[in-house]
């Protein structure tokens, strides 16, 4: 077993894709004739595509057959991927590369634990895929966050005990998933919303080397 591992969520932690998810869901809501707000979009963070569509249809009080539901799932994703195609490295969130480089230089195993089925594609688009020793995403899990499955699979592949894993998350369900896995949770974003995290930071610019060193020493 290796000593300590680091697992990153993708959307909202590494890249700000929430805005593209929002635009794609809004396009569908517009087409169906109801309003989809930024407040609604908050409910979608960390939530699977299928669950998001279920919530969207509830918001709009829209009934759908299974075939129609499946068609809308595809339509939303095609729309979302059109935004992703235009993504550039400049859309990596501030100081994410600094943290990844620090971890890599110090030989810590690095994993991705995301609900997205587009995770690999996005990491390739922004040229970060080489940092990751394992990518566990929406294609590999049967249980969604807050279930700890996504992070536990990553820890197993990284060969790190769960309690020695540090998870970076921006969603309530993601922080819960990390806590349910008995991992160290670091909330990235609003500390009030992510109050269940072990540590809170607005973004990675606030995570300095002394903090990381202290955290690593406390786990070693
Ligand atoms: C999560 C996002 O990371 O992935 C959610 O926070 C999204 O908003 C989910 O619905 C699934 O993503 P995708 O790319 O498979 O539709
Ligand atoms: Mg997220």
């Amino acid at each position: 077993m290796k000593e300590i591992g680091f697992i990153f969520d993708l959307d909202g932690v590494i890249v700000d894709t929430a805005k593209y998810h929002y635009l794609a869901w809004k396009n569908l809501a517009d087409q169906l004739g109801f309003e989809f707000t930024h407040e609604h979009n908050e409910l979608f963070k960390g939530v699977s595509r299928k669950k998001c569509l279920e919530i969207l249809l509830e918001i709009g009080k829209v009934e759908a057959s299974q075939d129609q539901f499946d068609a809308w799932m595809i339509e939303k994703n095609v729309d979302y991927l059109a935004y992703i195609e235009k993504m550039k490295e400049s859309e990596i969130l501030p100081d994410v590369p600094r943290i990844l480089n620090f971890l890599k230089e110090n030989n810590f195993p690095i994993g991705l634990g995301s609900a997205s089925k587009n995770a690999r594609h996005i990491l390739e688009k922004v040229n970060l895929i080489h940092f990751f020793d394992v990518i566990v995403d929406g294609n590999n899990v049967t249980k969604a966050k807050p279930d700890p499955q996504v992070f536990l699979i990553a820890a197993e592949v990284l060969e790190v005990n769960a309690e020695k894993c540090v998870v970076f998350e921006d969603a309530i369900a993601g922080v819960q998933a990390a806590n349910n896995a008995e991992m160290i949770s670091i909330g990235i974003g609003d500390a009030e919303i992510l109050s269940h995290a072990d540590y809170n930071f607005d973004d990675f610019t606030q995570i300095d080397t002394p903090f990381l060193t202290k955290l690593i020493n406390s786990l070693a």
Side-chain angles (χ1 to χ4, degrees):
M1 293 300 268
K2 291 169 193 137
E3 277 288 291
I4 302 163
F6 290 82
I7 306 175
F8 292 74
D9 174 48
L10 175 70
D11 296 312
V13 169
I14 293 178
V15 280
D16 179 19
T17 36
K19 61 184 178 205
Y20 300 133
H21 280 296
Y22 170 74
L23 290 171
W25 287 124
K26 189 178 171 335
N27 286 344
L28 183 57
D30 285 350
Q31 183 190 312
L32 297 176
F34 62 91
E35 203 189 348
F36 180 65
T37 64
H38 285 285
E39 285 69 40
H40 289 140
N41 198 46
E42 284 301 308
L43 305 172
F44 284 25
K45 289 189 176 170
V47 174
S48 73
R49 195 183 310 164
K50 180 167 175 280
K51 184 77 191 161
C52 287
L53 182 53
E54 285 167 7
I55 302 172
L56 187 89
L57 297 182
E58 261 173 49
I59 293 168
K61 301 189 175 52
V62 174
E63 304 256 325
S65 66
Q66 190 60 52
D67 283 354
Q68 183 61 77
F69 188 95
D70 294 345
W72 284 334
M73 287 262 283
I74 293 168
E75 188 181 322
K76 184 267 168 179
N77 198 49
V78 168
D79 207 8
Y80 176 65
L81 286 175
Y83 293 111
I84 297 304
E85 276 325 298
K86 293 182 208 134
M87 271 189 96
K88 297 197 183 74
E89 281 177 43
S90 57
E91 289 179 70
I92 297 169
L93 287 167
D95 274 11
V96 169
R98 177 178 60 81
I99 302 288
L100 287 170
N101 275 311
F102 172 86
L103 298 175
K104 206 73 192 165
E105 280 161 13
N106 289 282
N107 294 318
F108 289 108
I110 304 174
L112 190 92
S114 167
S116 172
K117 293 187 173 178
N118 298 304
R120 273 178 190 278
H121 183 55
I122 294 170
L123 287 177
E124 274 164 7
K125 266 319 292 177
V126 297
N127 278 328
L128 289 180
I129 199 150
H130 59 282
F131 280 106
F132 293 87
D133 300 300
V134 63
I135 292 169
V136 186
D137 65 16
N139 300 295
N140 311 114
V141 294
T142 51
K143 296 175 203 152
K145 299 171 186 177
D147 190 281
Q149 188 189 39
V150 66
F151 295 136
L152 291 175
I153 296 174
E156 202 181 327
V157 179
L158 294 177
E159 297 182 60
V160 181
N161 285 325
E163 65 271 23
K164 302 276 182 185
C165 285
V166 177
V167 173
F168 297 100
E169 257 294 347
D170 73 311
I172 299 171
V175 167
Q176 286 170 339
N179 292 346
N180 288 338
E182 300 192 1
M183 297 179 175
I184 311 297
S185 54
I186 301 190
I188 302 290
D190 190 324
E192 272 179 41
I193 296 175
L194 304 175
S195 60
H196 294 294
D198 294 313
Y199 300 92
N200 290 92
F201 296 96
D202 290 340
D203 57 40
F204 283 98
T205 64
Q206 294 185 347
I207 304 185
D208 55 18
T209 307
F211 168 78
L212 285 174
T213 308
K214 207 167 153 197
L215 178 66
I216 289 161
N217 289 338
S218 75
L219 290 171

